[in-house]
């Protein structure tokens, strides 16, 4: 089924017909963007949407499936389809040295922490490898919850070189970002941060702390902080609830790279 909306194609040689499911998606997105449909509002049933657009339920399902994938709606069998609450979004810019907290607060939201533990312990094998330590070397392990506007969103699990962990005042662990904390130690300032992002399923411990069912989807951001000498001073993982967090990034070229690209 196709709508009556037509557009000239890129070559200008003919007309393209817009699929009706795309029109349905676009109109629902517009209603969400302008506030006609807000978080928790019920979306019209498949039957009503099919009748309104004079199409089949299959076409409506195709439109709603994409909106669900984008996180704009939540579908609950037997209950209906509802507008999803907005996700907390961290915007990463490869030219900016910003913490998660700075990214979120730039969007007008409030970040807070709940410290779970901070203790000296033997470095796990993976941490020894990441930080260039020997077996049985000790590190400080920090575990704390992250909240945005008092809503639980993530769990930090970080390992810090022992000589710098001992310098950290406990009160800062409830108020400051990891970057700010490390900048204040003799290792600072943090010169380089490597981040890798992946999707996973919450194990029993992570699920319990994030108040999720076991094996619920979570987003992992693994970090390595290095000082100006290139030494890794902190590594670890931040786990985020998959139902209320997303991130986007801006990739920028420096002037030299941009000019090289234009000249190639």
């Amino acid at each position: 089924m196709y709508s009556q909306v037509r557009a000239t194609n890129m070559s200008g040689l003919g007309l393209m017909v817009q699929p009706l499911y795309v029109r349905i998606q676009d109109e629902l997105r517009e209603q969400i963007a302008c506030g006609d449909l807000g978080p928790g509002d019920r979306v019209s049933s498949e039957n009503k949407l099919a009748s309104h657009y004079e199409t089949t339920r299959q076409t409506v399902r195709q439109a709603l499936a994409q909106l669900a994938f984008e996180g704009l709606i939540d579908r609950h069998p037997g209950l209906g389809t509802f507008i999803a609450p907005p996700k907390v979004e961290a915007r990463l810019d490869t030219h900016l040295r910003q913490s998660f907290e700075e990214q979120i607060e730039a969007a007008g939201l409030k970040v807070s922490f709940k410290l779970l533990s901070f203790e000296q312990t033997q470095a796990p094998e993976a941490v020894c490898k990441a930080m260039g330590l020997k077996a049985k070397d000790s590190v400080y392990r920090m575990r704390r919850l992250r909240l945005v506007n008092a809503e639980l969103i993530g769990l930090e699990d970080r390992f810090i070189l022992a000589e710098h962990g001992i310098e950290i005042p406990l009160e800062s662990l409830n108020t400051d970002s990891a970057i700010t904390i490390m900048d204040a130690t003799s290792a600072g300032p943090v010169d380089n941060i490597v981040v890798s992002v992946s999707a996973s399923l919450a194990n029993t411990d992570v699920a319990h702390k994030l108040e999720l069912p076991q094996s619920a989807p979570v987003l992992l951001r693994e970090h390595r902080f290095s000082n100006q000498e290139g030494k890794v001073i902190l590594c670890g993982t931040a786990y985020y609830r998959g139902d209320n967090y997303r991130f986007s990034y801006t990739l920028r070229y420096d002037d030299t790279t941009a000019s090289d690209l234009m000249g190639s």
Side-chain angles (χ1 to χ4, degrees):
M1 178 69 70
Y2 294 87
S3 74
Q4 300 302 310
V5 178
R6 295 173 178 265
T8 303
N9 66 16
M10 293 296 291
S11 65
L13 298 178
L15 296 176
M16 296 186 298
V17 181
Q18 182 187 54
L20 182 53
Y21 74 89
V22 174
R23 177 185 161 200
I24 297 171
Q25 292 169 7
D26 288 345
E27 291 186 3
L28 286 172
R29 285 193 194 96
E30 184 176 352
Q31 291 178 49
I32 294 169
C34 70
D36 289 343
L37 288 173
D41 288 349
R42 184 190 294 269
V43 178
S44 297
S45 68
E46 291 180 2
N47 283 334
K48 287 185 178 180
L49 287 171
S51 175
H52 175 75
Y53 287 100
E54 298 181 349
T55 187
T56 64
R57 289 182 63 185
Q58 181 178 356
T59 299
V60 171
R61 288 195 194 102
Q62 187 176 6
L64 296 180
Q66 177 61 28
L67 296 179
F69 176 78
E70 295 173 11
L72 294 175
I73 60 173
D74 291 326
R75 309 191 73 186
H76 301 284
L79 296 176
T81 300
F82 302 85
I83 303 302
K87 293 181 180 290
V88 173
E89 181 173 9
R91 297 180 177 272
L92 309 182
D93 189 321
T94 56
H95 269 208
L96 297 177
R97 178 184 177 274
Q98 278 189 318
S99 65
F100 167 87
E101 292 74 17
E102 290 169 327
Q103 296 159 13
I104 296 303
E105 289 174 357
L109 304 175
K110 172 69 174 176
V111 180
S112 57
F113 305 97
K114 180 180 178 181
L115 182 65
L116 301 177
S117 62
F118 184 64
E119 57 190 2
Q120 192 167 9
T121 184
Q122 183 176 315
E125 182 179 352
V127 172
C128 288
K129 183 177 180 180
M131 305 186 82
L133 301 176
K134 298 177 182 178
K136 298 186 179 180
D137 278 354
S138 65
V139 291
Y140 275 80
R141 185 179 188 182
M142 175 185 72
R143 305 191 84 198
R144 62 181 182 176
L145 300 176
R146 276 178 171 167
L147 300 93
V148 175
N149 285 357
E151 180 181 355
L152 178 60
I153 189 172
L155 166 69
E156 290 181 66
D157 190 2
R158 303 185 188 273
F159 297 88
I160 302 166
L161 289 180
E163 60 262 37
H164 305 306
I166 199 171
E167 302 173 334
I168 297 172
L170 286 178
E171 58 268 21
S172 69
L173 300 175
N174 280 309
T175 58
D176 295 340
S177 71
I179 294 177
T180 299
I181 290 170
M182 296 309 298
D183 278 346
T185 70
S186 59
V190 176
D191 185 67
N192 186 56
I193 301 174
V194 176
V195 181
S196 63
V197 180
S198 60
S200 186
L201 301 178
N203 61 29
T204 302
D205 180 57
V206 171
H208 174 71
K209 288 181 170 56
L210 291 180
E211 300 176 5
L212 291 169
Q214 187 170 345
S215 298
V218 289
L219 184 69
L220 278 60
R221 287 177 63 176
E222 297 178 271
H223 303 76
R224 282 186 299 166
F225 291 9
S226 300
N227 62 12
Q228 292 179 323
E229 287 72 46
K231 184 177 183 180
V232 177
I233 56 176
L234 175 151
C235 70
T237 304
Y239 303 85
Y240 295 95
R241 294 177 56 117
D243 59 350
N244 61 4
Y245 176 80
R246 68 180 180 184
F247 80 98
S248 61
Y249 70 91
T250 301
L251 178 62
R252 300 176 186 268
Y253 294 114
D254 59 33
D255 293 339
T256 300
T257 306
S259 61
D260 288 347
L261 286 172
M262 293 179 67
S264 61

